[in-house]
Amino acid sequence: MSGRVEVRRAWIFRCCPSGQLVLTQAERGIGCPSRCFPHRPLDVNPDTNDPERMEQAMSAGSIRRITLRNYKSIAYCCVDLLPLMFLVGRNGAGKSNFLDAFRFVSDALRTNLDQALRDRGGIREVRRISGGHPTHFTIRLDFQLPDGRLGHYAFRVGTKTGGAVHVQQEECVVSPLSGF
């Protein structure tokens, strides 16, 4: 292995004047958010672009995409993930909250939902605060299993009247093996 690092996408987090988090992909060699193009895959090192190597890395079983809605400071984002990615942005743009969503899912599955929320200060600290006062937050993880099957795990957490926390919706779907 050569020691070169292949950067496929760099995400820039910035806040719009409305205060909403925006994720954009930075163009190769450009660090300025004004030159960002949303939803455009980047070929940062064209001379090392090897789709077969990327596919091998992804076929080991991985999270392919994360979608967040009303999670902490993030109103909405949907990010396709690759084996190597960088999160770049100004202070307070939401980078740590984006990463915490992964930790939240891990904590909730390892312990329980109540403990994961309690560790973050309760649902009021996790659910996005905005003028519309959302009553829930949603996380969806799209994944590929080692055997090649695709699936997703998604849940929506909200509060009942009186403030009790509950899972309003939960879904895990895995595609069947080919030929079955």
Side-chain angles (χ1 to χ4, degrees):
M1 181 159 188
S2 73
R4 280 183 82 168
V5 175
E6 294 182 34
V7 179
R8 298 293 176 176
R9 294 183 188 177
W11 290 93
I12 302 292
F13 283 73
R14 58 191 168 100
C15 292
C16 290
S18 67
Q20 186 168 345
L21 179 73
V22 175
L23 270 91
T24 53
Q25 295 173 343
E27 186 175 356
R28 175 173 38 138
I30 304 295
C32 173
S34 65
R35 294 283 312 267
C36 295
F37 303 95
H39 309 296
R40 188 165 149 268
L42 300 176
D43 185 6
V44 177
N45 277 325
D47 57 319
T48 59
N49 188 14
D50 186 349
E52 187 176 321
R53 279 187 24 211
M54 289 299 290
E55 197 55 40
Q56 287 173 350
M58 294 300 278
S59 68
S62 61
I63 298 173
R64 297 289 197 115
R65 176 183 301 134
I66 183 168
T67 306
L68 305 173
R69 186 177 303 276
N70 298 325
Y71 187 81
K72 293 192 170 189
S73 64
I74 302 170
Y76 174 81
C77 75
C78 182
V79 178
D80 291 329
L81 303 171
L82 293 173
L84 176 64
M85 295 184 68
F86 295 93
L87 297 177
V88 181
R90 294 181 5 210
N91 290 345
K95 300 177 301 291
S96 295
N97 291 338
F98 177 80
L99 294 174
D100 185 64
F102 289 101
R103 284 189 296 273
F104 178 83
V105 173
S106 176
D107 292 350
L109 292 172
R110 190 175 28 79
T111 60
N112 61 55
L113 177 64
D114 290 332
Q115 184 64 46
L117 286 168
R118 205 171 18 259
D119 289 348
R120 288 160 179 79
I123 192 154
R124 289 178 181 242
E125 296 299 317
V126 174
R127 185 178 56 210
R128 183 171 172 264
I129 299 171
S130 71
H133 299 296
T135 60
H136 64 277
F137 68 91
T138 303
I139 298 177
R140 176 183 166 130
L141 301 172
D142 291 84
F143 56 83
Q144 180 177 5
L145 297 174
D147 64 9
R149 293 182 295 160
L150 299 175
H152 71 266
Y153 174 64
F155 59 92
R156 177 178 163 153
V157 176
T159 54
K160 293 181 179 179
T161 306
V165 175
H166 73 109
V167 177
Q168 296 174 337
Q169 199 173 0
E170 184 176 30
E171 177 181 64
C172 184
V173 175
V174 177
S175 65
L177 284 170
S178 298
F180 289 92

